[in-house]
Amino acid sequence: MDFKDHVSSIINNIGGSKNVINASHCVTRLRLVLVNESLINKEALEENELVKGTFSVNGQFQVIIGPGLVEKVYNEFVNQTGTEEVSKDEMKKITSEKGNIIQKGVRVLADIFIPILPAIVAAGLLLGLNNLLANSGIFYDKKSLLDVYTGWTGFAEFINVIANTAFTFLPVLIAWSTAKKFGGNPLLGIVLGLLLVHPSLMSAYAYAENPSEVESWSLFGWDIAKIGYQGQVLPVIFATWVLTWSEKRLKSFIPDNLQMLFVAPISLVFAGLLTFGVIGPITMTGSNWITDGILYLFEVSPAFAGGVYGFISGPLVITGMHHIFLGVNLQMAGTLGYVTLWPIGETVTLAQGAAALTMFFILKQNQKLKGVSLTATLSAWLGVTEPAIYGINLRFRYPFIAVMVGSAFGSAYLAAQGVKATSVGVGGVLSFLSVYPEHWSVYFIGMAITFIITVTLTFGFFKSNLFKADKTIEKKTEDKGKKSLELKTLSKNV
């Protein structure tokens, strides 16, 4: 089969072109909205040489192709089906009404946090670089690099300023992204975010230390505290929703030629009053309760809390619920200056790659799946776990269970040792750069625990009779691999 034939096979195995409503693609996957997903022949689809795995989530059926190749497959797919081409954002709008209220809420959080994640990760890496330069005992005994090479001090200070910018103005980033998500003017979102961290306000950090010293505005007999919202997440999201809501309502009845004069000022005043007077105090209290509650769990029983979080981290990624904890991590980074959940949960990234690598040696005959497992391993250890999850580990199930257990033990150890990171960082093998250098040795031990347990359990489950159904799947793949090899050999002989 040539390239076009492989794409035709994909179309046939998802129920034909008439079963396709819309199609888009991201960096690695075809994203499809189908009329009826029960018409999909997953087994035949995953035998296709172009396909690395499949899964269905949030009303979309997604076919993992791989970076670079996915765009070529997408173009040929659209050419053969004649389906409507839509962007990834348009696809999200099409499927946004599907699912229950929790799924919809998680999608909203994902759409808000993911666009600002590059800035947060960059800040985390730069903070890690600053730690390398400024912390003693890493390269020299009882001395830092800056102590030895004093000429680098200015550069380190400059790096530190850049790294802290994303967290100093975190509400601005969140307000911009939230306004964009809810269909408002992103520039008004930026203004609202800047308002919430205005230097004339008492910062949230100073208020936490001396709440009695806060000043207030007296508005028609209503005293409103002049408190900033540095490092906050929930107050900013709710405030920006009010801003976009008021902006849309005002535009619905104010004439077009007067909108520039009235919409922005009225929206900002209305959202600002509600935020400082009602929304901010309530949501900031709730946010602090969430943060304090998580910290309390890790203080009472850190190993248990870390183990549970590591155990559920894999399933959370599948459901998309991990985006909720991304918000918690951002809240921690903004208010505490460090994060605990992110480094503790990073064990799952290593474990997904470890399980996929183990399956590379277990899958002896099926060359396609061996190739998928190897590329999925590299992808996972560079921070992208979807190929490993959907292409290999969930497909055979027992590797995924090994991932959950291995992550639980590794995370329990890291939590017990009190590992902290400067912020949310890049996933995979470079994740240690965002961890405080004094925790590096512990972090590497925790990752080693995760790797050993995951690999051992994956091999152990393979050898045992605990997963007979998965053995059947594996036997089928091996038989198909043998059959394919025999046909190729016969073809060459002929």
Side-chain angles (χ1 to χ4, degrees), residues 413-431:
Y413 176 79
L414 293 179
Q417 298 298 319
V419 170
K420 296 181 180 68
T422 53
S423 76
V424 176
V426 64
V429 295
L430 296 178
S431 60

Side-chain angles (χ1 to χ4, degrees), residues 215-395:
E215 298 178 356
S216 61
W217 294 291
S218 181
L219 301 175
F220 312 108
W222 184 21
D223 290 333
I224 298 178
K226 298 180 180 179
I227 302 173
Y229 288 88
Q230 289 83 357
Q232 295 295 320
V233 174
L234 282 182
V236 184
I237 293 175
F238 280 96
T240 311
W241 181 85
V242 171
L243 175 70
T244 56
W245 179 87
S246 59
E247 180 190 353
K248 290 177 181 178
R249 294 301 176 274
L250 289 170
K251 284 183 175 179
S252 67
F253 63 85
I254 293 179
D256 292 347
N257 59 338
L258 297 177
Q259 286 184 5
M260 184 174 289
L261 291 176
F262 294 104
V263 172
I266 295 174
S267 298
L268 286 168
V269 170
F270 178 69
L273 285 173
L274 272 182
T275 300
F276 287 105
V278 181
I279 296 172
I282 293 174
T283 53
M284 184 162 71
T285 300
S287 297
N288 291 336
W289 282 352
I290 293 171
T291 303
D292 293 342
I294 291 174
L295 291 175
Y296 176 76
L297 289 175
F298 280 90
E299 287 174 5
V300 172
S301 181
F304 177 77
V308 171
Y309 184 62
F311 187 77
I312 65 174
S313 288
L316 285 176
V317 173
I318 297 172
T319 61
M321 296 287 284
H322 62 298
H323 293 299
I324 294 176
F325 290 96
L326 176 57
V328 175
N329 276 307
L330 291 179
Q331 176 82 17
M332 283 185 172
T335 57
L336 302 175
Y338 64 85
V339 296
T340 57
L341 286 179
W342 179 79
I344 290 170
E346 260 304 293
T347 56
V348 72
T349 305
L350 176 79
Q352 295 288 5
L357 180 62
T358 308
M359 293 302 292
F360 172 80
F361 296 101
I362 289 175
L363 297 167
K364 298 178 181 179
Q365 299 296 331
N366 193 309
Q367 295 301 313
K368 178 178 181 292
L369 280 182
K370 282 175 70 71
V372 171
S373 63
L374 190 58
T375 55
T377 299
L378 296 174
S379 176
W381 287 349
L382 291 175
V384 181
T385 58
E386 290 155 323
I389 293 173
Y390 299 108
I392 296 294
N393 296 339
L394 263 186
R395 182 172 185 168

Side-chain angles (χ1 to χ4, degrees), residues 133-137 140-153:
L133 296 172
N135 281 268
S136 59
Y140 300 96
D141 186 30
K142 297 182 181 180
K143 287 186 178 182
S144 67
L145 275 174
L146 296 181
D147 293 330
V148 178
Y149 302 99
T150 55
W152 286 85
T153 302

Side-chain angles (χ1 to χ4, degrees), residues 23-208:
S24 70
H25 73 91
C26 59
V27 178
T28 60
R29 289 159 284 158
L30 284 179
R31 295 169 174 260
L32 309 173
V33 177
L34 304 178
V35 177
N36 186 357
E37 290 193 8
S38 65
L39 298 178
I40 298 170
N41 186 344
K42 287 188 178 181
E43 186 176 343
L45 187 62
E46 292 184 358
E47 289 179 15
N48 191 299
E49 290 184 13
L50 299 177
V51 178
K52 305 297 188 297
T54 63
F55 64 99
S56 180
V57 63
N58 297 332
Q60 295 180 29
F61 183 72
Q62 303 193 16
V63 184
I64 303 171
I65 303 296
L69 182 60
V70 66
E71 187 172 357
K72 296 178 182 178
V73 172
Y74 173 73
N75 291 335
E76 182 61 28
F77 182 94
V78 170
N79 182 53
Q80 291 191 26
T81 60
T83 191
E84 181 183 356
E85 295 185 60
V86 296
S87 68
K88 191 170 66 173
D89 290 336
E90 290 173 323
M91 181 70 82
K92 288 180 180 178
K93 290 180 182 179
I94 293 169
T95 58
S96 62
E97 296 303 317
K98 297 186 178 183
N100 56 43
I101 189 170
I102 295 177
Q103 291 172 324
K104 291 178 181 178
V106 170
R107 282 202 293 269
V108 168
L109 292 177
D111 291 342
I112 291 171
F113 293 140
I114 289 175
I116 67 173
L117 200 53
I120 302 301
V121 171
L125 285 173
L126 289 174
L127 285 172
L129 176 60
N130 184 69
N131 287 335
L132 282 174
L133 296 172
N135 281 268
S136 59
I138 299 177
F139 299 103
Y140 300 96
D141 186 30
K142 297 182 181 180
K143 287 186 178 182
S144 67
L145 275 174
L146 296 181
D147 293 330
V148 178
Y149 302 99
T150 55
W152 286 85
T153 302
F155 178 73
E157 292 174 352
F158 177 67
I159 289 294
N160 196 41
V161 169
I162 297 176
N164 281 296
T165 298
F167 297 107
T168 302
F169 297 101
L170 180 63
V172 180
L173 299 178
I174 294 174
W176 165 80
S177 187
T178 304
K180 194 174 179 182
K181 163 61 185 173
F182 291 126
N185 186 335
L187 288 177
L188 289 185
I190 290 174
V191 174
L192 179 64
L194 290 170
L195 169 64
L196 297 178
V197 294
H198 197 281
S200 68
L201 304 172
M202 185 179 190
S203 77
Y205 314 122
Y207 175 74

